[in-house]
Amino acid sequence: MAMVLQSKSVAGFNLSFFADEKELIDSYMTQIVAWLRPSESERNDTSNHQKQNRCLSIKKEDLSVFEMADIRAAHALIQSGKSTGKIIISTGS
C-alpha cells in the first residue's frame, strides 16, 4: 500500500515478440533518435527564450552500456544495487 500512497509503481514488459521485428524496431529507434536531437532552428538559436520554452523536452537517462560478451558484468551491476538509469546490452548490430 505504501507504493500506492507514494505514487510509485512497478512495471514489466515482455518484449520477446519483437525478436523478429528488426524493421519495426529500426523505424521506432530512428524516430526516438530524431526526438533526442535538437532541431536545426534550436541549434542555430542563441536566445534563452527558445531553450527554456521547448514544447518537447526529452531528458536522457544515465546509461550503462555492455556488450553481449559482458552480460555477466551487467547482471552483477543490477545485483549490486548501485545501478542508476538504464542498462543496455548491445548486440553489435
Side-chain angles (χ1 to χ4, degrees):
M1 188 65 169
M3 286 181 67
V4 173
L5 295 174
Q6 295 173 3
S7 297
K8 294 181 180 180
S9 65
V10 176
F13 303 92
N14 179 358
L15 301 177
S16 63
F17 60 90
F18 280 118
D20 296 324
E21 300 291 340
K22 283 189 120 180
E23 289 179 20
L24 181 64
I25 296 297
D26 185 51
S27 68
Y28 289 163
M29 289 307 299
T30 299
Q31 181 60 64
I32 290 168
V33 168
W35 286 335
L36 294 173
R37 282 194 189 123
S39 68
E40 185 174 341
S41 63
E42 288 174 319
R43 286 191 302 268
N44 295 331
D45 185 10
T46 58
S47 73
N48 285 331
H49 181 269
Q50 183 172 353
K51 292 176 185 174
Q52 292 175 358
N53 296 302
R54 295 173 76 176
C55 295
L56 176 62
S57 178
I58 298 177
K59 295 181 181 178
K60 298 176 186 177
E61 296 280 337
D62 290 335
L63 297 178
S64 297
V65 181
F66 293 87
E67 296 297 322
M68 186 63 77
D70 297 325
I71 198 163
R72 287 183 178 163
H75 191 261
L77 178 61
I78 293 169
Q79 287 185 317
S80 75
K82 296 179 182 176
S83 63
T84 60
K86 306 296 181 201
I87 297 173
I88 308 295
I89 307 300
S90 175
T91 61
S93 57

